[in-house]
Short mmCIF file of all heavy atoms in Angstrom, two decimals:
data_model
loop_
_atom_site.label_atom_id
_atom_site.label_comp_id
_atom_site.label_asym_id
_atom_site.label_seq_id
_atom_site.Cartn_x
_atom_site.Cartn_y
_atom_site.Cartn_z
N GLU T 997 90.74 117.95 97.56
CA GLU T 997 90.50 116.75 96.77
C GLU T 997 91.34 115.59 97.30
O GLU T 997 92.45 115.77 97.79
CB GLU T 997 90.84 117.04 95.31
CG GLU T 997 90.40 115.98 94.33
CD GLU T 997 90.66 116.41 92.90
OE1 GLU T 997 91.83 116.36 92.48
OE2 GLU T 997 89.70 116.80 92.22
N ARG T 998 90.81 114.38 97.18
CA ARG T 998 91.56 113.20 97.56
C ARG T 998 92.79 113.06 96.66
O ARG T 998 92.70 113.27 95.44
CB ARG T 998 90.68 111.95 97.45
CG ARG T 998 91.34 110.68 97.95
CD ARG T 998 90.39 109.50 97.84
NE ARG T 998 90.05 109.20 96.46
CZ ARG T 998 89.04 108.44 96.08
NH1 ARG T 998 88.23 107.93 97.00
NH2 ARG T 998 88.81 108.22 94.80
N GLU T 999 93.92 112.71 97.24
CA GLU T 999 95.15 112.59 96.48
C GLU T 999 95.87 111.28 96.78
O GLU T 999 95.78 110.74 97.88
CB GLU T 999 96.08 113.77 96.75
CG GLU T 999 96.58 113.87 98.18
CD GLU T 999 97.42 115.11 98.43
OE1 GLU T 999 97.33 116.06 97.63
OE2 GLU T 999 98.17 115.13 99.42
N ARG T 1000 96.57 110.80 95.78
CA ARG T 1000 97.35 109.58 95.94
C ARG T 1000 98.60 109.88 96.75
O ARG T 1000 99.30 110.86 96.49
CB ARG T 1000 97.71 109.02 94.56
CG ARG T 1000 98.62 107.80 94.60
CD ARG T 1000 98.76 107.18 93.21
NE ARG T 1000 99.17 108.16 92.22
CZ ARG T 1000 100.42 108.54 91.99
NH1 ARG T 1000 101.41 108.01 92.71
NH2 ARG T 1000 100.68 109.44 91.05
N VAL T 1001 98.90 109.03 97.72
CA VAL T 1001 100.09 109.17 98.54
C VAL T 1001 101.19 108.23 98.06
O VAL T 1001 102.30 108.65 97.75
CB VAL T 1001 99.79 108.91 100.03
CG1 VAL T 1001 101.06 109.00 100.87
CG2 VAL T 1001 98.73 109.88 100.54
N ALA T 1002 100.87 106.94 98.00
CA ALA T 1002 101.85 105.94 97.58
C ALA T 1002 101.13 104.68 97.15
O ALA T 1002 100.05 104.36 97.66
CB ALA T 1002 102.83 105.62 98.71
N THR T 1003 101.73 103.95 96.22
CA THR T 1003 101.17 102.68 95.75
C THR T 1003 102.29 101.66 95.60
O THR T 1003 103.46 102.01 95.48
CB THR T 1003 100.46 102.81 94.40
OG1 THR T 1003 101.38 103.28 93.41
CG2 THR T 1003 99.28 103.77 94.49
N VAL T 1004 101.91 100.39 95.62
CA VAL T 1004 102.84 99.31 95.33
C VAL T 1004 102.13 98.34 94.39
O VAL T 1004 101.01 97.90 94.67
CB VAL T 1004 103.35 98.63 96.61
CG1 VAL T 1004 102.21 98.09 97.46
CG2 VAL T 1004 104.34 97.53 96.27
N SER T 1005 102.78 98.00 93.28
CA SER T 1005 102.19 97.13 92.29
C SER T 1005 102.42 95.66 92.64
O SER T 1005 103.14 95.34 93.58
CB SER T 1005 102.77 97.43 90.91
OG SER T 1005 104.11 96.98 90.83
N ASN T 1006 101.83 94.78 91.83
CA ASN T 1006 102.01 93.35 92.06
C ASN T 1006 103.45 92.90 91.82
O ASN T 1006 103.86 91.85 92.31
CB ASN T 1006 101.05 92.54 91.19
CG ASN T 1006 101.17 92.85 89.71
OD1 ASN T 1006 101.94 93.71 89.30
ND2 ASN T 1006 100.40 92.13 88.90
N SER T 1007 104.22 93.68 91.08
CA SER T 1007 105.62 93.38 90.83
C SER T 1007 106.54 93.97 91.89
O SER T 1007 107.76 93.76 91.85
CB SER T 1007 106.04 93.88 89.45
OG SER T 1007 105.99 95.28 89.38
N GLY T 1008 105.98 94.74 92.82
CA GLY T 1008 106.77 95.35 93.87
C GLY T 1008 107.21 96.77 93.58
O GLY T 1008 107.90 97.38 94.42
N THR T 1009 106.84 97.31 92.44
CA THR T 1009 107.20 98.67 92.08
C THR T 1009 106.41 99.66 92.93
O THR T 1009 105.19 99.58 93.02
CB THR T 1009 106.94 98.94 90.60
OG1 THR T 1009 107.70 98.03 89.80
CG2 THR T 1009 107.32 100.37 90.24
N THR T 1010 107.12 100.59 93.55
CA THR T 1010 106.48 101.59 94.39
C THR T 1010 106.43 102.94 93.69
O THR T 1010 107.27 103.25 92.84
CB THR T 1010 107.20 101.75 95.73
OG1 THR T 1010 108.57 102.09 95.51
CG2 THR T 1010 107.13 100.45 96.52
N SER T 1011 105.45 103.74 94.07
CA SER T 1011 105.30 105.07 93.53
C SER T 1011 104.90 106.01 94.66
O SER T 1011 104.00 105.68 95.44
CB SER T 1011 104.24 105.08 92.43
OG SER T 1011 104.03 106.39 91.93
N TYR T 1012 105.55 107.16 94.74
CA TYR T 1012 105.28 108.15 95.79
C TYR T 1012 105.05 109.52 95.18
O TYR T 1012 105.68 109.88 94.18
CB TYR T 1012 106.47 108.27 96.74
CG TYR T 1012 106.83 107.01 97.49
CD1 TYR T 1012 107.78 106.13 96.99
CD2 TYR T 1012 106.24 106.72 98.71
CE1 TYR T 1012 108.12 104.97 97.68
CE2 TYR T 1012 106.58 105.57 99.42
CZ TYR T 1012 107.53 104.70 98.89
OH TYR T 1012 107.86 103.57 99.59
N ARG T 1013 104.17 110.30 95.80
CA ARG T 1013 104.04 111.66 95.37
C ARG T 1013 105.27 112.43 95.85
O ARG T 1013 105.87 112.09 96.87
CB ARG T 1013 102.73 112.29 95.87
CG ARG T 1013 102.67 112.56 97.35
CD ARG T 1013 101.30 113.18 97.72
NE ARG T 1013 101.03 114.42 97.02
CZ ARG T 1013 100.19 114.55 96.00
NH1 ARG T 1013 99.49 113.52 95.57
NH2 ARG T 1013 100.03 115.74 95.43
N ASP T 1014 105.65 113.47 95.13
CA ASP T 1014 106.90 114.16 95.38
C ASP T 1014 107.00 114.73 96.79
O ASP T 1014 108.08 114.75 97.39
CB ASP T 1014 107.11 115.28 94.36
CG ASP T 1014 107.43 114.76 92.98
OD1 ASP T 1014 107.82 113.59 92.85
OD2 ASP T 1014 107.30 115.55 92.02
N SER T 1015 105.89 115.19 97.33
CA SER T 1015 105.92 115.88 98.62
C SER T 1015 106.27 114.98 99.80
O SER T 1015 106.62 115.48 100.87
CB SER T 1015 104.59 116.58 98.88
OG SER T 1015 103.53 115.64 98.99
N ILE T 1016 106.19 113.66 99.62
CA ILE T 1016 106.48 112.75 100.72
C ILE T 1016 107.67 111.84 100.47
O ILE T 1016 108.04 111.05 101.36
CB ILE T 1016 105.24 111.91 101.11
CG1 ILE T 1016 104.72 111.09 99.94
CG2 ILE T 1016 104.13 112.82 101.64
CD1 ILE T 1016 105.32 109.73 99.84
N LYS T 1017 108.30 111.95 99.31
CA LYS T 1017 109.47 111.13 99.01
C LYS T 1017 110.57 111.38 100.03
O LYS T 1017 110.89 112.52 100.36
CB LYS T 1017 109.99 111.42 97.60
CG LYS T 1017 109.16 110.82 96.50
CD LYS T 1017 109.77 111.08 95.13
CE LYS T 1017 108.96 110.41 94.04
NZ LYS T 1017 109.52 110.67 92.70
N GLY T 1018 111.15 110.29 100.54
CA GLY T 1018 112.18 110.39 101.54
C GLY T 1018 111.65 110.41 102.95
O GLY T 1018 112.43 110.28 103.90
N ARG T 1019 110.34 110.57 103.12
CA ARG T 1019 109.72 110.62 104.44
C ARG T 1019 108.80 109.43 104.70
O ARG T 1019 108.74 108.93 105.82
CB ARG T 1019 108.93 111.91 104.63
CG ARG T 1019 109.77 113.17 104.54
CD ARG T 1019 108.99 114.40 105.00
NE ARG T 1019 107.83 114.68 104.16
CZ ARG T 1019 106.56 114.71 104.60
NH1 ARG T 1019 106.30 114.47 105.88
NH2 ARG T 1019 105.58 114.99 103.76
N PHE T 1020 108.09 108.97 103.67
CA PHE T 1020 107.14 107.87 103.82
C PHE T 1020 107.66 106.63 103.08
O PHE T 1020 108.33 106.74 102.06
CB PHE T 1020 105.78 108.22 103.22
CG PHE T 1020 105.02 109.31 103.93
CD1 PHE T 1020 105.58 110.04 104.97
CD2 PHE T 1020 103.72 109.60 103.55
CE1 PHE T 1020 104.87 111.04 105.61
CE2 PHE T 1020 102.99 110.59 104.18
CZ PHE T 1020 103.57 111.32 105.21
N THR T 1021 107.30 105.45 103.60
CA THR T 1021 107.65 104.20 102.96
C THR T 1021 106.44 103.27 102.95
O THR T 1021 105.84 103.03 104.00
CB THR T 1021 108.81 103.50 103.68
OG1 THR T 1021 109.95 104.36 103.71
CG2 THR T 1021 109.19 102.21 102.95
N ILE T 1022 106.08 102.77 101.77
CA ILE T 1022 104.98 101.83 101.65
C ILE T 1022 105.55 100.42 101.56
O ILE T 1022 106.57 100.19 100.90
CB ILE T 1022 104.09 102.16 100.43
CG1 ILE T 1022 102.83 101.28 100.42
CG2 ILE T 1022 104.87 102.02 99.13
CD1 ILE T 1022 101.80 101.70 99.38
N SER T 1023 104.89 99.47 102.20
CA SER T 1023 105.35 98.08 102.17
C SER T 1023 104.17 97.15 102.37
O SER T 1023 103.11 97.56 102.85
CB SER T 1023 106.42 97.83 103.23
OG SER T 1023 105.91 98.04 104.53
N LYS T 1024 104.36 95.88 102.01
CA LYS T 1024 103.34 94.86 102.19
C LYS T 1024 103.91 93.65 102.90
O LYS T 1024 105.05 93.26 102.67
CB LYS T 1024 102.76 94.41 100.84
CG LYS T 1024 101.85 95.39 100.16
CD LYS T 1024 101.10 94.73 98.99
CE LYS T 1024 102.05 94.27 97.90
NZ LYS T 1024 101.31 93.68 96.75
N ASP T 1025 103.09 93.05 103.75
CA ASP T 1025 103.40 91.77 104.37
C ASP T 1025 102.41 90.78 103.78
O ASP T 1025 101.25 90.72 104.20
CB ASP T 1025 103.26 91.84 105.88
CG ASP T 1025 103.68 90.56 106.57
OD1 ASP T 1025 103.60 89.48 105.95
OD2 ASP T 1025 104.08 90.62 107.75
N ASN T 1026 102.85 90.02 102.79
CA ASN T 1026 101.94 89.12 102.08
C ASN T 1026 101.41 88.00 102.96
O ASN T 1026 100.28 87.55 102.75
CB ASN T 1026 102.65 88.54 100.85
CG ASN T 1026 102.93 89.58 99.79
OD1 ASN T 1026 102.12 90.48 99.55
ND2 ASN T 1026 104.07 89.46 99.12
N ALA T 1027 102.19 87.56 103.93
CA ALA T 1027 101.74 86.50 104.82
C ALA T 1027 100.55 86.94 105.66
O ALA T 1027 99.71 86.13 106.04
CB ALA T 1027 102.88 86.05 105.72
N LYS T 1028 100.47 88.24 105.95
CA LYS T 1028 99.39 88.78 106.78
C LYS T 1028 98.33 89.52 105.97
O LYS T 1028 97.37 90.02 106.54
CB LYS T 1028 99.96 89.73 107.83
CG LYS T 1028 100.87 89.07 108.85
CD LYS T 1028 101.35 90.10 109.87
CE LYS T 1028 102.23 89.47 110.92
NZ LYS T 1028 102.69 90.48 111.92
N ASN T 1029 98.52 89.60 104.65
CA ASN T 1029 97.62 90.39 103.79
C ASN T 1029 97.48 91.81 104.33
O ASN T 1029 96.38 92.36 104.39
CB ASN T 1029 96.25 89.74 103.67
CG ASN T 1029 96.26 88.47 102.84
OD1 ASN T 1029 97.13 88.28 102.00
ND2 ASN T 1029 95.29 87.60 103.09
N THR T 1030 98.60 92.40 104.72
CA THR T 1030 98.58 93.71 105.36
C THR T 1030 99.49 94.69 104.64
O THR T 1030 100.63 94.37 104.30
CB THR T 1030 99.00 93.59 106.83
OG1 THR T 1030 98.10 92.71 107.51
CG2 THR T 1030 98.95 94.95 107.51
N LEU T 1031 98.98 95.89 104.43
CA LEU T 1031 99.72 96.99 103.84
C LEU T 1031 100.11 97.97 104.93
O LEU T 1031 99.33 98.22 105.85
CB LEU T 1031 98.85 97.70 102.80
CG LEU T 1031 99.46 98.90 102.07
CD1 LEU T 1031 100.49 98.43 101.05
CD2 LEU T 1031 98.36 99.72 101.40
N TYR T 1032 101.30 98.55 104.82
CA TYR T 1032 101.79 99.50 105.80
C TYR T 1032 102.21 100.80 105.14
O TYR T 1032 102.59 100.83 103.97
CB TYR T 1032 103.00 98.94 106.57
CG TYR T 1032 102.73 97.66 107.31
CD1 TYR T 1032 103.08 96.43 106.76
CD2 TYR T 1032 102.13 97.68 108.57
CE1 TYR T 1032 102.83 95.25 107.44
CE2 TYR T 1032 101.88 96.50 109.25
CZ TYR T 1032 102.24 95.30 108.68
OH TYR T 1032 101.98 94.13 109.37
N LEU T 1033 102.16 101.87 105.91
CA LEU T 1033 102.72 103.14 105.51
C LEU T 1033 103.47 103.71 106.70
O LEU T 1033 102.86 104.14 107.67
CB LEU T 1033 101.64 104.13 105.05
CG LEU T 1033 102.16 105.46 104.51
CD1 LEU T 1033 102.90 105.24 103.18
CD2 LEU T 1033 101.03 106.46 104.32
N GLN T 1034 104.80 103.67 106.63
CA GLN T 1034 105.63 104.26 107.65
C GLN T 1034 105.81 105.73 107.32
O GLN T 1034 106.32 106.07 106.25
CB GLN T 1034 106.99 103.56 107.72
CG GLN T 1034 107.95 104.15 108.75
CD GLN T 1034 107.46 103.97 110.17
OE1 GLN T 1034 107.07 102.87 110.55
NE2 GLN T 1034 107.48 105.05 110.95
#
């Protein structure tokens, strides 16, 4: 099944599933309208 990995809200609050915490980082570049997942 499709699963949520990470999200970022309009306030900047991030949420990660437990299995990837400490390994993945979600971020946004608002100037480029681009979302990243490291």
